Amino acid sequence: MPPTCIVRGLSNGGLRLPEVVTEDVTLYCEVDGEGEPVTVVAHGLTNNCRELAALTPMVPGTKVRFDFRGHGRSSAPQRGYRFEDLAGDLDAVAKAYGATRAVGTSMGAGAIANLVSRDPDRFERIVWLLPAGLDLPFGFKDRFQELAASLDGKTPEEALATIVSDPERVAQYVQTPWKLEIDKVMWEHEHPEGVARAIREVIEDWPVPDRELLRKVTAPTLLICIEGDDIHPAELGRILHDLLPSSELLTFDSEMALFQAIPMLVQRVGEFLLR
């Protein structure tokens, strides 16, 4: 059954929210802007479609942000959280809105990689922000298995309280208080058990079966990485830059350097997507 974009009316009479409905999942979407180009925006693991919401209004054209299965306001099937499933979510939203461009962060970048490894000409332009995997097993399984276990049986409110009370995060909040507000937004999930399911399946999978498949992807691709990031290694960006024949690579010395460069990056991404 092909995906169908429908509009759901909230029972409280509020705003009508767009959804994309497929055979096994209902995907919540938010749309910024109008006109061409149309870009689908895919978030990272444990985040939601608000991940880049502060920035997408500044990028030209129509931007469609959506929650992957198990995340945010999307539904949370009992199984089906491998990268091919996530790529199916991405493809369904892109088809529903006619997106010709794709932007993905971390897991979202992996979903794009999975899709274009099987359909190299799927998008006309691609942006990968902090790609996290390629064709090798994930190296931080224990850390994420503990995170998934901490979400089991939690209500949305309990899950958020668990995350923001983690000692490592609390220490970060002392140094960078703004991260607390970001976490409060990123950890808005209607189904915490869905996030746990996604974590458990994603960490046992990898985006593409063979990295050499990406050599067939000729679409201009912008890669953005940070040096010293264990989960999103800059070395992976360099590998992808070598594999993708029409790629550009931007690397930053630290997370802070990337945040300081956001105005430049937004302009650069906007110009890149418009070409």
Side-chain angles (χ1 to χ4, degrees), residues 139-161:
F140 300 91
K141 291 183 182 180
D142 290 347
R143 184 191 309 180
F144 280 81
Q145 284 168 347
E146 291 176 5
L147 176 58
S150 74
L151 300 174
D152 287 335
K154 298 287 197 307
T155 66
E157 295 76 18
E158 290 169 342
L160 176 60

Side-chain angles (χ1 to χ4, degrees), residues 112-213:
I112 295 172
N114 183 279
L115 183 56
V116 298
S117 72
R118 292 177 286 112
D119 185 1
D121 300 321
R122 178 63 184 85
F123 296 109
E124 295 177 9
R125 288 187 170 267
I126 301 168
V127 178
W128 285 345
L129 175 62
L130 306 181
L134 194 53
D135 56 0
L136 297 174
F138 185 61
F140 300 91
K141 291 183 182 180
D142 290 347
R143 184 191 309 180
F144 280 81
Q145 284 168 347
E146 291 176 5
L147 176 58
S150 74
L151 300 174
D152 287 335
K154 298 287 197 307
T155 66
E157 295 76 18
E158 290 169 342
L160 176 60
T162 296
I163 294 302
V164 300
S165 62
D166 176 77
E168 289 187 12
R169 288 180 183 268
V170 171
Q172 290 181 355
Y173 300 152
V174 173
Q175 299 297 322
T176 51
W178 49 270
K179 286 189 174 182
L180 173 59
E181 297 308 313
I182 290 179
D183 279 349
K184 287 180 179 179
V185 173
M186 291 300 95
W187 280 90
E188 287 183 2
H189 299 293
E190 288 189 357
H191 310 285
E193 72 279 6
V195 180
R197 292 171 195 150
I199 292 171
R200 291 186 172 110
E201 290 199 36
V202 164
I203 64 175
E204 296 298 338
D205 196 19
W206 41 86
V208 299
D210 182 352
R211 65 185 65 187
E212 292 299 318
L213 293 170

Side-chain angles (χ1 to χ4, degrees), residues 5-274:
C5 184
I6 66 171
V7 176
R8 173 172 64 92
L10 291 180
S11 60
N12 63 4
L15 294 175
R16 295 167 68 83
L17 303 176
E19 295 176 331
V20 172
V21 181
T22 71
E23 289 182 344
D24 67 336
V25 69
T26 298
L27 303 166
Y28 170 79
C29 305
E30 293 185 355
V31 181
D32 297 322
E34 59 184 4
E36 300 292 336
V38 180
T39 302
V40 61
V41 182
H43 64 77
L45 182 63
T46 77
N47 292 340
N48 58 43
C49 71
R50 307 293 172 82
E51 185 177 67
L52 297 177
L55 305 179
T56 48
M58 294 180 262
V59 175
T62 304
K63 288 76 55 180
V64 185
R65 296 177 284 101
F66 73 98
D67 292 330
F68 277 111
R69 58 184 59 214
H71 293 74
R73 302 190 196 184
S74 291
S75 61
Q78 289 295 319
R79 60 187 59 85
Y81 295 87
R82 297 294 178 117
F83 276 101
E84 188 168 348
D85 303 305
L86 301 172
D89 292 351
L90 169 78
D91 194 34
V93 174
K95 286 178 177 175
Y97 285 90
T100 60
R101 275 83 166 139
V103 174
T105 302
S106 192
M107 181 185 74
I112 295 172
N114 183 279
L115 183 56
V116 298
S117 72
R118 292 177 286 112
D119 185 1
D121 300 321
R122 178 63 184 85
F123 296 109
E124 295 177 9
R125 288 187 170 267
I126 301 168
V127 178
W128 285 345
L129 175 62
L130 306 181
L134 194 53
D135 56 0
L136 297 174
F138 185 61
F140 300 91
K141 291 183 182 180
D142 290 347
R143 184 191 309 180
F144 280 81
Q145 284 168 347
E146 291 176 5
L147 176 58
S150 74
L151 300 174
D152 287 335
K154 298 287 197 307
T155 66
E157 295 76 18
E158 290 169 342
L160 176 60
T162 296
I163 294 302
V164 300
S165 62
D166 176 77
E168 289 187 12
R169 288 180 183 268
V170 171
Q172 290 181 355
Y173 300 152
V174 173
Q175 299 297 322
T176 51
W178 49 270
K179 286 189 174 182
L180 173 59
E181 297 308 313
I182 290 179
D183 279 349
K184 287 180 179 179
V185 173
M186 291 300 95
W187 280 90
E188 287 183 2
H189 299 293
E190 288 189 357
H191 310 285
E193 72 279 6
V195 180
R197 292 171 195 150
I199 292 171
R200 291 186 172 110
E201 290 199 36
V202 164
I203 64 175
E204 296 298 338
D205 196 19
W206 41 86
V208 299
D210 182 352
R211 65 185 65 187
E212 292 299 318
L213 293 170
L214 295 178
R215 293 195 186 277
K216 298 179 181 180
V217 180
T218 59
T221 302
L222 182 60
L223 305 163
I224 303 170
C225 300
I226 299 174
E227 300 286 355
D229 187 326
D230 291 337
I231 294 177
H232 314 93
E235 180 58 28
L236 177 57
R238 288 185 275 271
I239 292 170
L240 288 167
H241 183 41
D242 177 67
L243 290 168
L244 297 160
S246 301
S247 62
E248 304 174 44
L249 174 62
L250 295 178
T251 60
F252 294 88
D253 292 336
S254 65
E255 183 182 47
M256 183 55 66
L258 184 144
F259 279 115
Q260 291 173 342
I262 281 178
M264 177 276 289
L265 272 179
V266 171
Q267 181 177 356
R268 179 77 177 270
V269 169
E271 292 172 351
F272 177 82
L273 294 173
L274 267 177

